[in-house]
Amino acid sequence: MLLQLFCAIFYFTFVSLSVVGADFRNVLIILADDGGFEIGAYNNTVCKTPNIDQFARRSVLFKHAFTSVSSCSPSRSALLTGLPQHQNGMYGLHQDIQHFNTFDNIESVSKILRNHNIRTGIIGKKHVGPEAVYPFDFAETEENNSINQVGRNITRIKLLVRKFLSQSQQSPFFLYVAFHDPHRDSSMRYGPFCERFGNGEPGMGLIPDWNPVLYDPDKVVLPYFVQDTPAARQDVAAQYTTMSRLDQGIGLVLGELASYGLDKNTLVVYSSDNGIPFPRGRTNLYDAGTAEPLLISSPLHRERWGQESNAMVSLLDIFPTVLDWFGIEDVGPPVRTGRSLLPILESEPTGGWDTVYASHSLHEVTMYYPMRSVRTNRFKAIRNLNYKMPFPIDQDFYASPTFQDLLNRTRDHQPLHWFTDLHRYYYRDSWELYDVGTDPKELRNLASDPGHARTLETLAARLREWQNVTADPWICAQDGVFVKHPTEHCGPLLNEL
């Protein structure tokens, strides 16, 4: 009798422990590094992404999602804190000599979740600090590994995800898997997009789970902002190969989640930090630099799977979405302007989602070019605060075949086969205004057009209101100084700007 009782207790305990992880709500965020719309689900018919495409069929696909800043560390800090870079302090890149950090008093989503007994994990590219602001219970990042091993080696990533999930059966969890693909390889050791890393060639190493996909440069889909030359096409073909590795890695991660039965109660989000590393992409506030893929799969909202949303959303909305999923209230301060996306997973909104904002200050420490923007579904206004200086070029992009091709062709007075030239790319107006409804490529600046003066005035006022709400230190730049006493106002400089 005692033996039967013991066996019954053991069986009940075993069964309970084996399914307890499936009783909690969890979150998995998968982030690409400089990823764009080279995805079948976003109508790219050449780049092969079967795993992302399959995931899209179980998700709501957002057609108008935007990052709030077009730079790696600032974007990641904004995603994890729900605050734009000028509000959280991560004005530029975090690593090496850049050394930008989020303010010590800011609470990130990982810190808040830990305080609510939710297990947190990060695998891959962290690229933010300090540690006290971004603590994780489980961390395998560039801080304690090779970034290629935890960000591109999809077999290693799979095993790390398995390890985290095996240790997370007794509590709800938040797992942030930040791939390093398809970021460029500035050293060019493994190719312009690190596309040869792990492909089995001599000196390249071998990633067991990766089946490299090669692309014909003549068949890639060139974005309008990339010149149509052999060098640029080869560059994009290399990017596609790395995107295929990312796609296969995402398939492995989602496979691990399903193998534990956790796909049935886990909110899964896929997006990227900023635009692709090409002209007008990363570090720019044009749509090429800020528009992002965004797929969200909720096991509680299956009726919306496979549908699209036309709501204009920001990656700042991910923070409140995660808290909402866990039933945690954001008590602040500071004030966060993002909103939970869970209602959109229930039904398509009929209004109220028609404006996004962006704020960019630096990328590398030498790249001071602050910009602010506001975008509606019809117009976009960009304010370039340092417009009398040439737009800066980051080291990764400078070394790329695409930019070197532009330099060589300009120097040799050869046709660029590009929609603009380097002079016009470098030197921009103080204000830019685009009718994105009729000019989605943002080619015709309407800021000086008297017929659009009222539109620019209205957008400038909305942008200034957002800057005020988010405590933007640049609110008085470029022609004033913020004065606190006796009342807060912008003191004029009379500097002829």
Side-chain angles (χ1 to χ4, degrees):
M1 183 67 181
L2 288 176
L3 179 61
Q4 291 177 325
L5 180 61
F6 172 79
C7 290
I9 293 173
F10 176 83
Y11 175 79
F12 176 78
T13 303
F14 175 80
V15 171
S16 298
L17 290 177
S18 66
V19 302
V20 67
D23 293 335
F24 296 117
R25 282 194 176 192
N26 311 301
V27 170
L28 168 62
I29 293 180
I30 302 174
L31 195 70
D33 196 357
D34 296 356
F37 296 94
E38 301 75 31
I39 299 170
Y42 279 96
N43 300 317
N44 186 308
T45 59
V46 178
C47 192
K48 305 302 180 186
T49 56
N51 295 286
I52 298 177
D53 298 344
Q54 182 180 16
F55 175 65
R57 291 191 285 272
R58 305 194 308 272
S59 306
V60 173
L61 183 149
F62 289 81
K63 297 174 63 177
H64 305 290
F66 298 85
T67 180
S68 67
V69 54
S70 192
S71 175
C72 304
S73 297
S75 178
R76 293 160 194 271
S77 71
L79 185 152
L80 293 171
T81 67
L83 302 169
Q85 56 86 22
H86 66 251
Q87 193 177 10
N88 75 51
M90 186 72 72
Y91 304 137
L93 298 181
H94 174 63
Q95 86 284 5
D96 302 329
I97 61 171
Q98 331 302 334
H99 203 58
F100 288 100
N101 282 281
T102 297
F103 298 132
D104 293 338
N105 65 321
I106 300 298
E107 287 197 321
S108 69
V109 67
S110 60
K111 188 171 184 177
I112 292 173
L113 296 181
R114 287 183 78 191
N115 292 339
H116 285 80
N117 298 315
I118 296 169
R119 190 163 190 263
T120 59
I122 178 173
I123 297 169
K125 186 173 181 178
K126 188 175 184 182
H127 213 31
V128 292
E131 173 67 23
V133 173
Y134 300 99
F136 287 87
D137 299 307
F138 180 98
E140 297 288 347
T141 71
E142 75 277 10
E143 296 179 354
N144 55 352
N145 297 271
S146 158
I147 182 58
N148 282 343
Q149 290 299 328
V150 293
R152 301 189 197 264
N153 184 339
I154 61 175
T155 297
R156 178 88 184 277
I157 294 168
K158 174 191 72 175
L159 296 175
L160 289 173
V161 169
R162 183 180 300 173
K163 181 178 179 181
F164 174 83
L165 295 179
S166 70
Q167 299 172 353
S168 305
Q169 298 295 294
Q170 305 305 309
S171 65
F173 66 78
F174 169 85
L175 177 59
Y176 173 47
V177 180
F179 285 85
H180 194 27
D181 283 338
H183 195 283
R184 288 188 178 276
D185 177 10
S186 58
S187 73
M188 302 290 283
R189 176 184 175 187
Y190 299 106
F193 277 92
C194 211
E195 71 278 4
R196 298 175 64 197
F197 174 73
N199 69 359
E201 295 177 1
M204 298 294 106
L206 177 66
I207 300 174
D209 288 300
W210 182 34
N211 296 309
V213 182
L214 303 180
Y215 294 88
D216 183 346
D218 291 333
K219 295 182 179 179
V220 299
V221 181
L222 280 183
Y224 78 89
F225 46 88
V226 177
Q227 74 270 23
D228 193 351
T229 64
R233 284 186 167 276
Q234 290 170 6
D235 208 13
V236 172
Q239 178 205 24
Y240 278 20
T241 294
T242 306
M243 276 296 298
S244 293
R245 183 171 58 208
L246 168 69
D247 175 75
Q248 292 176 35
I250 290 173
L252 294 174
V253 170
L254 295 177
E256 290 298 315
L257 190 74
S259 71
Y260 282 87
L262 296 169
D263 55 329
K264 300 176 179 61
N265 63 324
T266 300
L267 183 76
V268 184
V269 179
Y270 169 76
S271 191
S272 181
D273 54 349
N274 45 248
I276 62 177
F278 286 92
R280 272 209 168 194
R282 185 184 65 193
T283 75
N284 286 267
L285 292 190
Y286 302 115
D287 278 8
T290 60
E292 303 297 340
L294 179 62
L295 302 168
I296 303 182
S297 177
S298 166
L300 303 184
H301 304 94
R302 292 173 179 252
E303 65 280 1
R304 282 278 275 163
W305 284 9
Q307 296 184 17
E308 297 178 347
S309 175
N310 286 305
M312 292 187 65
V313 302
S314 168
L315 297 194
L316 292 173
D317 297 324
I318 291 178
F319 179 99
T321 301
V322 172
L323 293 191
D324 192 13
W325 179 259
F326 285 117
I328 299 172
E329 182 181 2
D330 178 18
V331 296
V335 174
R336 291 181 170 88
T337 56
R339 294 178 288 172
S340 172
L341 300 175
L342 292 189
I344 300 179
L345 303 185
E346 296 177 359
S347 61
E348 182 68 4
T350 57
W353 294 85
D354 56 6
T355 308
V356 292
Y357 299 87
S359 161
H360 184 103
S361 297
L362 300 99
H363 184 64
E364 295 164 3
V365 70
T366 57
M367 296 175 62
Y368 182 67
Y369 201 87
M371 302 171 284
R372 303 294 184 265
S373 74
V374 54
R375 190 194 193 284
T376 69
N377 53 16
R378 179 65 190 274
F379 290 99
K380 173 191 275 187
I382 303 174
R383 191 181 188 196
N384 300 309
L385 300 179
N386 205 20
Y387 71 99
K388 291 202 171 185
M389 293 295 290
F391 186 82
I393 304 298
D394 68 86
Q395 295 176 5
D396 287 342
F397 179 48
Y398 182 83
S400 71
T402 294
F403 191 72
Q404 287 299 309
D405 180 57
L406 288 174
L407 288 177
N408 292 335
R409 288 174 175 273
T410 300
R411 185 183 301 113
D412 297 338
H413 304 287
Q414 295 179 351
L416 296 181
H417 303 289
W418 194 28
F419 76 99
T420 186
D421 56 48
L422 285 177
H423 179 82
R424 286 183 292 172
Y425 185 75
Y426 289 144
Y427 294 97
R428 307 178 181 189
D429 295 328
S430 175
W431 279 97
E432 297 178 68
L433 176 66
Y434 298 101
D435 183 342
V436 292
T438 61
D439 180 24
K441 297 180 180 179
E442 299 164 288
L443 300 179
R444 183 180 174 219
N445 184 6
L446 303 173
S448 61
D449 183 345
H452 289 86
R454 183 65 180 271
T455 298
L456 181 59
E457 179 183 351
T458 300
L459 290 177
R462 294 180 67 176
L463 180 59
R464 188 176 183 83
E465 180 182 0
W466 181 73
Q467 289 182 273
N468 185 56
V469 169
T470 57
D472 188 352
W474 279 264
I475 193 169
C476 296
Q478 67 240 31
D479 53 2
V481 172
F482 183 68
V483 179
K484 291 186 177 181
H485 303 290
T487 59
E488 293 184 352
H489 67 283
C490 291
L493 285 171
L494 306 181
N495 58 4
E496 302 179 16
L497 291 178

